[in-house]
Amino acid sequence: MEIWHVIRAGDKYIFNFKDLRPWFDEWYDRNVEEQELDSEIARELAFPCWVFDHAVGFAHVTKWLVYNFPGHITERNPIGPKYRHIHLAPPDFVGLVNQARGRLKTVLRGPLWEKVGSLLSEPHTCSCWQKTSAEYLAALVKCKVYPLEESFPKNSVTQIFNRLEGFGHTSAAKDCKPCNVNWPECVSSACKIARGYFDGLCLDCMDHSKPKRADEDEDYWTHDFKPSARWDQNCRISHGEPTWYHSWLGRDDRRQKLLKERHKAL
């Protein structure tokens, strides 16, 4: 990828990459916006988008990787071993995107399990609840989705969505209200929630949350974070709470404190 040769030259001759932002914006619009990403291109683009502070591109690439890369997400440096030092620090990329990918497993599991969990845990007077629960779980296994602990490490989230699109099992317990669950709706709802969960990493949230002084209590969040405001306040991309959460580079106890303040304010 030619953009990496520019980065290599900048590393060698100590360019100020901020001066090249307009050029990269134009390069990105011309070469990336209409191009369909794949695993290699997306992994190669993460660092350039970060270097040139391209918030839209970084969010786009990281979201694509979280949903479409099978297994553990890593960067890719296409210019050889001599330049291995040119990369994002693992806590600034690898840790964040894999944390978001792992969280999607929990997000998907919740609505997939909710109804069948109720059938398995609540007392019943009918004789069909066991068969109903077993048939639903067997249908998920047949789709090669369940258990998620086995399917997630080997497949992308999008592959799992695609398999769940083939889910067509319906309850045979038409005369039993507790057991007559609309299983296709449960599966469809789980996919919808998971698809809308993550908007990609936000460079502005990353920058704001990264400690810049010895005294972290004097950082951006102490002065400018409004608990009742939008999660993407002062950001160049639109996003919700999960992107804010997964883009956090500060101390976890500080993040949890801000979340509690936010929930109290709502």
Side-chain angles (χ1 to χ4, degrees):
M1 186 182 291
E2 64 269 22
I3 196 68
W4 275 85
H5 296 294
V6 176
I7 293 173
R8 179 177 63 180
D11 175 69
K12 183 176 181 179
Y13 297 108
I14 317 178
F15 288 175
N16 184 347
F17 286 108
K18 291 182 179 180
D19 295 337
L20 295 177
R21 282 181 189 173
W23 171 81
F24 181 79
D25 291 348
E26 185 178 340
W27 180 91
Y28 183 91
D29 292 343
R30 187 173 64 252
N31 293 280
V32 179
E33 202 149 85
E34 302 301 325
Q35 179 177 332
E36 188 172 339
L37 295 178
D38 61 31
S39 295
E40 287 193 0
I41 292 172
R43 290 161 64 210
E44 289 177 9
L45 272 173
F47 184 68
C49 287
W50 179 82
V51 164
F52 293 101
D53 195 32
H54 197 285
V56 172
F58 194 72
H60 176 55
V61 166
T62 51
K63 178 178 180 178
W64 191 94
L65 286 168
V66 165
Y67 281 96
N68 294 282
F69 193 80
H72 185 74
I73 303 167
T74 58
E75 283 185 89
R76 186 172 187 273
N77 183 330
I79 57 176
K82 183 179 178 181
Y83 297 94
R84 281 179 181 162
H85 65 284
I86 303 178
H87 65 85
L88 277 160
D92 294 353
F93 176 74
V94 174
L96 303 183
V97 289
N98 284 291
Q99 179 191 58
R101 186 180 187 277
R103 177 61 183 167
L104 278 172
K105 180 173 67 177
T106 304
V107 171
L108 190 59
R109 181 196 289 119
L112 284 178
W113 177 256
E114 183 180 6
K115 294 292 185 181
V116 72
S118 297
L119 285 178
L120 292 170
S121 61
E122 295 176 1
H124 298 281
T125 56
C126 67
S127 60
C128 58
W129 66 273
Q130 292 171 311
K131 185 173 184 292
T132 301
S133 303
E135 287 178 345
Y136 168 66
L137 293 174
L140 289 177
V141 171
K142 188 176 180 180
C143 290
K144 298 183 179 179
V145 169
Y146 241 58
L148 290 173
E149 284 70 21
E150 290 187 7
S151 62
F152 247 75
K154 304 172 185 176
N155 303 280
S156 72
V157 180
T158 296
Q159 285 174 314
I160 292 172
F161 290 156
N162 292 340
R163 291 176 183 177
L164 288 173
E165 285 180 2
F167 182 92
H169 173 72
T170 57
S171 175
K174 304 298 182 184
D175 298 324
C176 178
K177 187 176 180 180
C179 293
N180 188 20
V181 178
N182 188 336
W183 297 118
E185 184 178 306
C186 292
V187 170
S188 177
S189 175
C191 291
K192 182 178 180 180
I193 292 169
R195 279 193 176 101
Y197 173 76
F198 185 59
D199 299 306
L201 294 178
C202 175
L203 285 176
D204 296 313
C205 286
M206 291 169 66
D207 180 59
H208 296 159
S209 61
K210 184 178 257 184
K212 299 176 178 63
R213 306 173 184 83
D215 184 359
E216 191 175 2
D217 288 336
E218 295 299 318
D219 67 11
Y220 170 93
W221 295 103
T222 303
H223 296 295
D224 295 324
F225 184 79
K226 307 293 190 300
S228 60
R230 291 170 54 95
W231 293 105
D232 55 2
Q233 62 172 321
N234 303 324
C235 296
R236 288 169 287 170
I237 65 166
S238 298
H239 65 77
E241 178 183 351
T243 282
W244 175 87
Y245 185 91
H246 293 297
S247 301
W248 181 267
L249 293 179
R251 286 168 42 186
D252 185 61
D253 60 345
R254 184 68 177 147
R255 175 170 56 182
Q256 297 305 321
K257 180 180 178 181
L258 290 169
L259 283 172
K260 288 180 181 178
E261 292 176 1
R262 167 76 176 198
H263 294 151
K264 285 180 182 178
L266 295 180

